[in-house]
Amino acid sequence: MVSPVTFVELGPAFQGDELATERFLKQARLGTTEFWSGADTVIAHRMWHDHQLKRRQLNIPKRPVADVLIAAFASRFRGIITRNASDFRNLSAQLIIVDPCFVEATRIR
Protein backbone atom coordinates (compact mmCIF):
# COMPACT_ATOMS: atom_id res chain seq x y z
CA MET A 1 0.00 0.00 0.00
CA VAL A 2 1.36 3.44 -0.89
CA SER A 3 0.46 6.25 1.48
CA PRO A 4 -1.22 9.33 0.06
CA VAL A 5 1.89 11.31 1.05
CA THR A 6 4.18 8.94 -0.86
CA PHE A 7 1.90 9.15 -3.89
CA VAL A 8 2.31 12.95 -3.80
CA GLU A 9 6.10 12.61 -3.44
CA LEU A 10 6.17 10.47 -6.61
CA GLY A 11 4.61 13.27 -8.68
CA PRO A 12 7.85 14.78 -10.00
CA ALA A 13 9.16 11.35 -11.08
CA PHE A 14 6.16 11.04 -13.39
CA GLN A 15 6.06 14.67 -14.58
CA GLY A 16 2.91 15.24 -12.52
CA ASP A 17 0.98 12.59 -14.44
CA GLU A 18 -1.12 10.82 -11.80
CA LEU A 19 -2.33 8.19 -14.26
CA ALA A 20 1.25 7.23 -15.12
CA THR A 21 2.02 7.04 -11.39
CA GLU A 22 -1.02 4.80 -10.80
CA ARG A 23 -0.04 2.54 -13.74
CA PHE A 24 3.48 2.19 -12.36
CA LEU A 25 2.23 1.34 -8.87
CA LYS A 26 -0.33 -1.11 -10.25
CA GLN A 27 2.42 -2.89 -12.22
CA ALA A 28 4.43 -3.06 -8.99
CA ARG A 29 1.30 -4.50 -7.31
CA LEU A 30 1.12 -1.62 -4.86
CA GLY A 31 -2.26 -0.29 -3.86
CA THR A 32 -3.12 3.40 -3.86
CA THR A 33 -6.76 3.33 -2.83
CA GLU A 34 -6.39 3.27 0.96
CA PHE A 35 -7.42 6.62 2.40
CA TRP A 36 -5.89 8.54 5.27
CA SER A 37 -7.80 7.80 8.48
CA GLY A 38 -8.47 9.65 11.69
CA ALA A 39 -6.34 7.06 13.49
CA ASP A 40 -3.45 7.88 11.11
CA THR A 41 -3.78 11.53 12.15
CA VAL A 42 -3.65 10.66 15.85
CA ILE A 43 -0.57 8.46 15.35
CA ALA A 44 1.14 11.17 13.27
CA HIS A 45 0.32 13.78 15.91
CA ARG A 46 1.93 11.65 18.61
CA MET A 47 4.96 10.78 16.42
CA TRP A 48 5.59 14.41 15.52
CA HIS A 49 5.38 15.46 19.17
CA ASP A 50 7.75 12.66 20.25
CA HIS A 51 10.16 13.50 17.43
CA GLN A 52 10.24 17.17 18.36
CA LEU A 53 10.94 16.31 22.02
CA LYS A 54 13.78 13.98 21.04
CA ARG A 55 15.16 16.53 18.61
CA ARG A 56 15.28 19.24 21.27
CA GLN A 57 16.69 16.98 24.00
CA LEU A 58 19.14 14.89 22.02
CA ASN A 59 19.93 17.23 19.15
CA ILE A 60 18.86 14.67 16.54
CA PRO A 61 18.48 15.81 12.92
CA LYS A 62 15.35 17.49 11.68
CA ARG A 63 12.85 15.31 9.83
CA PRO A 64 10.35 16.52 7.33
CA VAL A 65 6.80 16.20 8.58
CA ALA A 66 6.12 14.13 5.44
CA ASP A 67 8.24 11.30 6.91
CA VAL A 68 6.09 11.35 10.05
CA LEU A 69 2.91 11.19 7.96
CA ILE A 70 4.29 8.28 5.94
CA ALA A 71 5.37 6.44 9.10
CA ALA A 72 1.98 6.98 10.72
CA PHE A 73 0.19 5.57 7.67
CA ALA A 74 2.64 2.64 7.50
CA SER A 75 1.97 1.86 11.17
CA ARG A 76 -1.57 0.84 10.26
CA PHE A 77 -0.09 -1.77 7.91
CA ARG A 78 2.64 -2.72 10.41
CA GLY A 79 5.57 -1.86 8.21
CA ILE A 80 7.26 0.13 5.51
CA ILE A 81 9.55 -0.64 2.60
CA THR A 82 11.93 2.24 2.00
CA ARG A 83 15.39 2.97 0.67
CA ASN A 84 15.62 5.61 3.41
CA ALA A 85 15.37 3.30 6.42
CA SER A 86 17.44 5.60 8.63
CA ASP A 87 14.84 8.34 8.13
CA PHE A 88 12.20 6.22 9.87
CA ARG A 89 14.12 4.36 12.60
CA ASN A 90 13.74 7.09 15.24
CA LEU A 91 10.07 7.70 14.57
CA SER A 92 8.50 4.48 15.88
CA ALA A 93 9.99 1.52 17.69
CA GLN A 94 7.03 -0.64 16.57
CA LEU A 95 7.36 0.13 12.85
CA ILE A 96 8.85 -2.74 10.85
CA ILE A 97 11.27 -1.27 8.33
CA VAL A 98 12.48 -3.16 5.29
CA ASP A 99 15.25 -1.67 3.19
CA PRO A 100 15.11 -3.29 -0.28
CA CYS A 101 18.74 -2.31 -0.91
CA PHE A 102 19.83 -4.29 2.15
CA VAL A 103 17.59 -7.24 1.25
CA GLU A 104 19.03 -7.32 -2.28
CA ALA A 105 22.62 -7.08 -0.99
CA THR A 106 21.93 -9.92 1.43
CA ARG A 107 20.42 -12.04 -1.34
CA ILE A 108 23.47 -11.52 -3.61
CA ARG A 109 25.92 -12.86 -1.02
Side-chain angles (χ1 to χ4, degrees), residues 36-46 72-73 75-76:
W36 186 265
S37 73
D40 296 333
T41 300
V42 170
I43 292 168
H45 184 271
R46 196 171 307 127
F73 187 84
S75 293
R76 185 169 13 138

Side-chain angles (χ1 to χ4, degrees), residues 63-83:
R63 288 269 30 95
V65 73
D67 288 352
V68 172
L69 297 173
I70 292 166
F73 187 84
S75 293
R76 185 169 13 138
F77 301 95
R78 293 178 290 188
I80 186 169
I81 299 172
T82 178
R83 293 181 310 154

Side-chain angles (χ1 to χ4, degrees), residues 33 42 50 58 92 103:
T33 58
V42 170
D50 291 347
L58 304 173
S92 172
V103 171

Side-chain angles (χ1 to χ4, degrees), residues 14-88:
F14 293 90
Q15 291 75 46
D17 184 343
E18 68 272 5
L19 295 177
T21 307
E22 288 175 0
R23 277 192 304 273
F24 169 78
L25 294 170
K26 186 176 181 179
Q27 288 174 350
R29 296 184 180 190
L30 295 171
T32 62
T33 58
E34 190 67 38
F35 294 100
W36 186 265
S37 73
D40 296 333
T41 300
V42 170
I43 292 168
H45 184 271
R46 196 171 307 127
M47 279 183 180
W48 188 246
H49 169 76
D50 291 347
H51 172 72
Q52 291 301 317
L53 282 178
K54 287 181 201 173
R55 191 176 74 75
R56 290 181 190 125
Q57 293 170 353
L58 304 173
N59 198 25
I60 62 173
K62 290 182 180 182
R63 288 269 30 95
V65 73
D67 288 352
V68 172
L69 297 173
I70 292 166
F73 187 84
S75 293
R76 185 169 13 138
F77 301 95
R78 293 178 290 188
I80 186 169
I81 299 172
T82 178
R83 293 181 310 154
N84 304 319
S86 63
D87 292 350
F88 295 92

